[in-house]
CSV table of all heavy atoms in Angstrom, one decimal:
chain,number,residue,atom,x,y,z
A,693,ILE,N,-5.7,7.2,-2.5
A,693,ILE,CA,-6.0,6.4,-3.7
A,693,ILE,C,-7.5,6.6,-4.0
A,693,ILE,O,-8.3,6.4,-3.2
A,693,ILE,CB,-5.7,4.9,-3.6
A,693,ILE,CG1,-4.2,4.7,-3.2
A,693,ILE,CG2,-6.1,4.1,-4.8
A,693,ILE,CD1,-3.8,3.3,-2.9
A,705,TYR,N,-6.4,-3.4,1.9
A,705,TYR,CA,-5.4,-2.8,2.7
A,705,TYR,C,-5.5,-3.1,4.2
A,705,TYR,O,-4.5,-3.2,4.9
A,705,TYR,CB,-5.3,-1.3,2.4
A,705,TYR,CG,-4.5,-1.0,1.2
A,705,TYR,CD1,-5.2,-0.6,0.0
A,705,TYR,CD2,-3.1,-1.1,1.1
A,705,TYR,CE1,-4.5,-0.4,-1.2
A,705,TYR,CE2,-2.4,-0.8,-0.1
A,705,TYR,CZ,-3.1,-0.5,-1.2
A,705,TYR,OH,-2.5,-0.3,-2.4
A,706,GLU,N,-6.7,-3.4,4.7
A,706,GLU,CA,-6.8,-3.9,6.0
A,706,GLU,C,-6.2,-5.3,6.1
A,706,GLU,O,-5.5,-5.6,7.1
A,706,GLU,CB,-8.3,-4.0,6.4
A,706,GLU,CG,-8.9,-2.6,6.8
A,706,GLU,CD,-10.4,-2.7,7.2
A,706,GLU,OE1,-11.1,-3.6,6.6
A,706,GLU,OE2,-10.8,-1.9,8.0
A,713,ALA,N,-9.4,0.1,9.2
A,713,ALA,CA,-9.6,1.5,8.7
A,713,ALA,C,-10.5,2.3,9.6
A,713,ALA,O,-11.4,1.8,10.3
A,713,ALA,CB,-10.2,1.4,7.3
A,727,VAL,N,3.2,7.3,10.8
A,727,VAL,CA,3.8,8.5,10.1
A,727,VAL,C,2.8,9.2,9.2
A,727,VAL,O,3.1,10.2,8.6
A,727,VAL,CB,5.1,8.2,9.3
A,727,VAL,CG1,6.2,7.7,10.3
A,727,VAL,CG2,4.8,7.1,8.3
A,731,ALA,N,-5.1,7.0,2.6
A,731,ALA,CA,-6.5,7.4,2.4
A,731,ALA,C,-7.0,6.7,1.2
A,731,ALA,O,-6.4,6.6,0.2
A,731,ALA,CB,-6.6,8.9,2.3
A,733,GLY,N,-10.4,7.0,-1.3
A,733,GLY,CA,-11.6,7.8,-1.5
A,733,GLY,C,-12.3,7.3,-2.8
A,733,GLY,O,-11.7,6.8,-3.7
A,739,ALA,N,-15.2,15.0,-8.4
A,739,ALA,CA,-15.9,16.3,-8.9
A,739,ALA,C,-15.7,17.4,-7.8
A,739,ALA,O,-15.8,18.6,-8.2
A,739,ALA,CB,-17.3,16.0,-9.2
A,758,PHE,N,5.4,0.0,2.5
A,758,PHE,CA,5.3,-0.2,4.0
A,758,PHE,C,6.6,-0.9,4.4
A,758,PHE,O,7.0,-2.0,3.9
A,758,PHE,CB,4.1,-1.1,4.3
A,758,PHE,CG,2.8,-0.5,4.0
A,758,PHE,CD1,2.2,-0.8,2.8
A,758,PHE,CD2,2.2,0.4,4.8
A,758,PHE,CE1,0.9,-0.2,2.4
A,758,PHE,CE2,0.9,0.9,4.5
A,758,PHE,CZ,0.3,0.6,3.3
A,760,VAL,N,8.3,-3.4,7.0
A,760,VAL,CA,7.8,-4.5,7.9
A,760,VAL,C,9.0,-5.1,8.6
A,760,VAL,O,10.1,-5.0,8.1
A,760,VAL,CB,7.0,-5.5,7.0
A,760,VAL,CG1,5.8,-4.9,6.4
A,760,VAL,CG2,7.9,-6.2,5.9
A,761,ASP,N,8.7,-5.9,9.6
A,761,ASP,CA,9.7,-6.5,10.4
A,761,ASP,C,10.4,-7.6,9.6
A,761,ASP,O,11.6,-7.8,9.7
A,761,ASP,CB,9.2,-7.1,11.7
A,761,ASP,CG,8.8,-6.1,12.7
A,761,ASP,OD1,9.3,-4.9,12.7
A,761,ASP,OD2,7.9,-6.3,13.5
A,766,GLU,N,5.8,-11.9,5.9
A,766,GLU,CA,4.7,-11.2,5.3
A,766,GLU,C,4.2,-11.9,4.0
A,766,GLU,O,3.1,-12.1,3.8
A,766,GLU,CB,4.9,-9.7,5.1
A,766,GLU,CG,5.1,-8.9,6.4
A,766,GLU,CD,3.8,-9.0,7.2
A,766,GLU,OE1,2.7,-8.9,6.7
A,766,GLU,OE2,4.0,-9.0,8.5
A,768,GLU,N,4.7,-15.0,3.2
A,768,GLU,CA,4.0,-16.3,3.6
A,768,GLU,C,2.6,-16.1,4.1
A,768,GLU,O,1.7,-16.8,3.7
A,768,GLU,CB,4.8,-17.1,4.6
A,768,GLU,CG,6.1,-17.7,4.1
A,768,GLU,CD,5.9,-18.5,2.9
A,768,GLU,OE1,5.0,-19.4,2.9
A,768,GLU,OE2,6.6,-18.4,1.9
A,772,GLU,N,-1.4,-16.4,-0.4
A,772,GLU,CA,-2.7,-16.9,-0.9
A,772,GLU,C,-3.7,-15.9,-1.1
A,772,GLU,O,-4.8,-16.1,-1.7
A,772,GLU,CB,-3.2,-18.0,0.1
A,772,GLU,CG,-2.3,-19.2,0.3
A,772,GLU,CD,-2.0,-19.9,-1.0
A,772,GLU,OE1,-2.9,-20.1,-1.8
A,772,GLU,OE2,-0.8,-20.3,-1.2
A,787,GLY,N,19.9,-2.4,-0.3
A,787,GLY,CA,19.9,-3.0,1.0
A,787,GLY,C,18.6,-3.4,1.6
A,787,GLY,O,18.5,-3.8,2.7
A,792,LEU,N,7.0,-7.0,-4.1
A,792,LEU,CA,6.2,-6.0,-4.8
A,792,LEU,C,5.0,-6.8,-5.4
A,792,LEU,O,5.2,-7.8,-6.1
A,792,LEU,CB,7.1,-5.5,-5.9
A,792,LEU,CG,6.6,-4.2,-6.7
A,792,LEU,CD1,6.6,-3.0,-5.7
A,792,LEU,CD2,7.6,-3.9,-7.8
A,799,ASN,N,-2.5,-0.6,-8.5
A,799,ASN,CA,-1.4,0.1,-7.9
A,799,ASN,C,-0.3,-0.8,-7.3
A,799,ASN,O,-0.6,-1.8,-6.7
A,799,ASN,CB,-1.9,1.0,-6.7
A,799,ASN,CG,-3.0,2.0,-7.2
A,799,ASN,OD1,-2.7,2.8,-8.0
A,799,ASN,ND2,-4.2,1.8,-6.6
A,803,LEU,N,6.3,-4.1,0.2
A,803,LEU,CA,6.6,-4.4,1.6
A,803,LEU,C,8.1,-4.7,1.6
A,803,LEU,O,8.6,-5.4,0.8
A,803,LEU,CB,5.8,-5.6,2.1
A,803,LEU,CG,4.3,-5.6,1.9
A,803,LEU,CD1,3.7,-6.8,2.6
A,803,LEU,CD2,3.7,-4.3,2.5
A,810,ALA,N,23.7,-0.4,6.3
A,810,ALA,CA,23.4,0.9,5.8
A,810,ALA,C,21.8,1.2,5.7
A,810,ALA,O,21.3,2.2,6.0
A,810,ALA,CB,24.0,1.2,4.4
A,813,ALA,N,20.4,1.5,9.1
A,813,ALA,CA,20.7,2.8,9.7
A,813,ALA,C,19.9,3.9,9.2
A,813,ALA,O,19.4,4.8,9.9
A,813,ALA,CB,22.2,3.1,9.5
A,814,LYS,N,19.6,3.8,7.9
A,814,LYS,CA,18.7,4.8,7.2
A,814,LYS,C,17.4,5.0,7.9
A,814,LYS,O,16.8,6.0,8.0
A,814,LYS,CB,18.6,4.5,5.7
A,814,LYS,CG,17.6,5.4,5.0
A,814,LYS,CD,17.4,5.0,3.6
A,814,LYS,CE,16.4,5.9,2.9
A,814,LYS,NZ,16.2,5.5,1.5
A,815,PHE,N,16.8,3.8,8.3
A,815,PHE,CA,15.5,3.8,9.0
A,815,PHE,C,15.6,3.7,10.5
A,815,PHE,O,14.6,3.5,11.1
A,815,PHE,CB,14.7,2.6,8.4
A,815,PHE,CG,14.4,2.8,7.0
A,815,PHE,CD1,15.1,2.1,6.0
A,815,PHE,CD2,13.3,3.6,6.6
A,815,PHE,CE1,14.8,2.3,4.6
A,815,PHE,CE2,13.0,3.8,5.2
A,815,PHE,CZ,13.8,3.2,4.3
Side-chain angles (χ1 to χ4, degrees):
I693 299 174
Y705 279 103
E706 285 179 327
V727 296
F758 297 96
V760 298
D761 290 334
E766 292 298 321
E768 288 306 313
E772 299 299 319
L792 195 65
N799 299 301
L803 304 185
K814 176 183 177 182
F815 293 100

